[in-house]
Amino acid sequence: MKKIVFITGASSGIGKETAVKLAESGYKVYGAARNIEMIPVLPGIDPIYIDLTNSDSIEEAIGTVLSKEGRIDILINDAGYGFYGTIEDVPLDKARKEMEVNLFSIAHLCQLVLPRMRQNGFGRIINISSIAGKMATPLGGWYHASKYALEGLSDTLRQEVEDFGIDVVIIEPGIIHTPWWEKARRNLDSVSQGSDYTDKIQQWRTVLNPEKSSEPIVIADVILKALEADKPKTRYSAGENSSLILGAKKILGDRTFDKAVDKMTEKEAEK
């Protein structure tokens, strides 16, 4: 029997690549996104509309799949974005929207799929976090806040549901080649006109256009590995600079790490 997968963010980047990878590996995939015309048209993938800022839309999407299939075995929470800008410059309504998409919508989706997973004695919830959930940089405050919170939420959820045969897995991508970067730069530009943080903004605009990055398939492969494992690890990290940055964060103190980040951005800005 094919396992039923519900994945958000299936119209681009990691979500799109993962939807294709899982469909080709024998899973029945429901790819959810606002831009459903960008979801791959392939056997094994059914596109479904979802707006993660709208509770009714979330409930309708999950309800549609449950009424059709009777269950959702695997939930992959991939959708998310970065609204970059200084804490002082980013309007709080923009910050709330980012937290809504990157955190609260995930909690809502989990609440909706867990009852059926508990009944079936099986479930896998894969939450796509980031190395940004383990370290912080200037201008990414709200993105980091959402990912730090997602890490904590996932850790708590894992402990709550493990007795029901449900695994919660965190994926921490490094630098991945996706449209995320362009959107982050665009968001940064939208709130930075006339800012008093001009030098740092210019430096980070360069960093948000990385020269080196891994392709999304790297993360799709890791997600498949977590799904195929009898007992998956609680965390997986992969992608450009993921090991380097996470390792440095563990070893260095906060101020030393801050200085290392500053030096990195200065070098990028000089290129």
Side-chain angles (χ1 to χ4, degrees):
M1 182 183 297
K2 288 188 176 183
K3 286 193 167 53
I4 308 301
V5 178
F6 187 97
I7 178 169
T8 64
S11 60
S12 66
I14 293 170
K16 186 174 186 177
E17 198 70 48
T18 301
V20 173
K21 182 79 174 181
L22 297 186
E24 292 175 346
S25 300
Y27 292 81
K28 173 64 176 178
V29 178
Y30 284 87
R34 285 186 304 169
N35 300 318
I36 59 174
E37 69 279 358
M38 296 176 64
I39 296 172
V41 181
L42 291 171
I45 300 178
D46 281 10
I48 187 164
Y49 176 83
I50 195 168
D51 179 352
L52 293 175
T53 66
N54 185 302
S55 295
D56 291 340
S57 177
I58 293 172
E59 293 175 5
E60 182 177 353
I62 293 294
T64 297
V65 178
L66 289 177
S67 64
K68 192 172 181 180
E69 301 288 351
R71 70 191 199 281
I72 292 174
D73 302 303
I74 296 159
L75 171 65
I76 303 175
N77 290 303
D78 170 69
Y81 71 102
F83 202 107
Y84 267 60
T86 69
I87 300 296
E88 184 177 348
D89 290 337
V90 174
L92 288 181
D93 63 324
K94 301 294 185 184
R96 289 188 183 98
K97 182 178 179 182
E98 181 158 24
M99 297 299 286
E100 188 70 41
V101 172
N102 291 7
L103 180 67
F104 292 112
S105 71
I106 291 174
H108 194 179
L109 286 161
C110 290
Q111 289 176 339
L112 293 172
V113 303
L114 280 170
R116 203 65 59 92
M117 287 182 174
R118 276 204 321 277
Q119 289 175 12
N120 295 336
F122 174 84
R124 292 273 164 97
I125 296 175
I126 311 290
N127 288 334
I128 309 301
S129 180
S130 169
I131 58 173
K134 291 292 186 64
M135 45 82 73
T137 62
L139 278 65
W142 291 109
Y143 183 68
H144 289 292
S146 71
K147 293 303 184 180
Y148 269 69
L150 179 59
E151 296 262 343
L153 185 82
S154 300
D155 283 337
T156 292
L157 183 62
R158 181 184 68 250
Q159 296 172 66
E160 291 174 348
V161 301
E162 60 185 350
D163 291 343
F164 298 104
I166 302 168
D167 290 296
V168 179
V169 177
I170 302 168
I171 308 292
E172 297 168 337
I175 301 172
I176 307 297
H177 182 66
T178 74
W180 185 95
W181 300 95
E182 180 183 352
K183 293 175 183 177
R185 291 195 305 274
R186 191 163 63 241
N187 289 332
L188 173 60
D189 291 342
S190 73
V191 297
S192 297
Q193 299 299 318
S195 175
D196 289 328
Y197 299 85
T198 303
D199 291 344
K200 201 167 287 290
I201 288 167
Q202 290 304 318
Q203 286 181 350
W204 274 90
R205 203 179 187 289
T206 302
V207 175
L208 290 172
N209 189 20
E211 289 186 354
K212 293 183 179 180
S213 59
S214 300
E215 293 301 318
I217 187 64
V218 171
I219 305 303
D221 287 341
V222 170
I223 291 171
L224 180 60
K225 180 180 179 181
L227 295 182
E228 298 282 290
D230 289 336
K231 192 63 178 176
K233 295 193 297 183
T234 60
R235 279 175 172 77
Y236 295 81
S237 62
E240 185 72 24
N241 279 357
S242 60
S243 298
L244 174 65
I245 292 174
L246 292 176
K249 183 60 176 144
K250 283 183 179 180
I251 295 170
L252 303 177
D254 288 341
R255 296 192 186 281
T256 304
F257 185 81
D258 290 349
K259 290 178 181 178
V261 170
D262 284 341
K263 287 182 180 180
M264 177 196 73
T265 57
E266 288 172 4
K267 287 181 180 178
E268 289 293 324
E270 290 171 357
K271 291 181 180 179

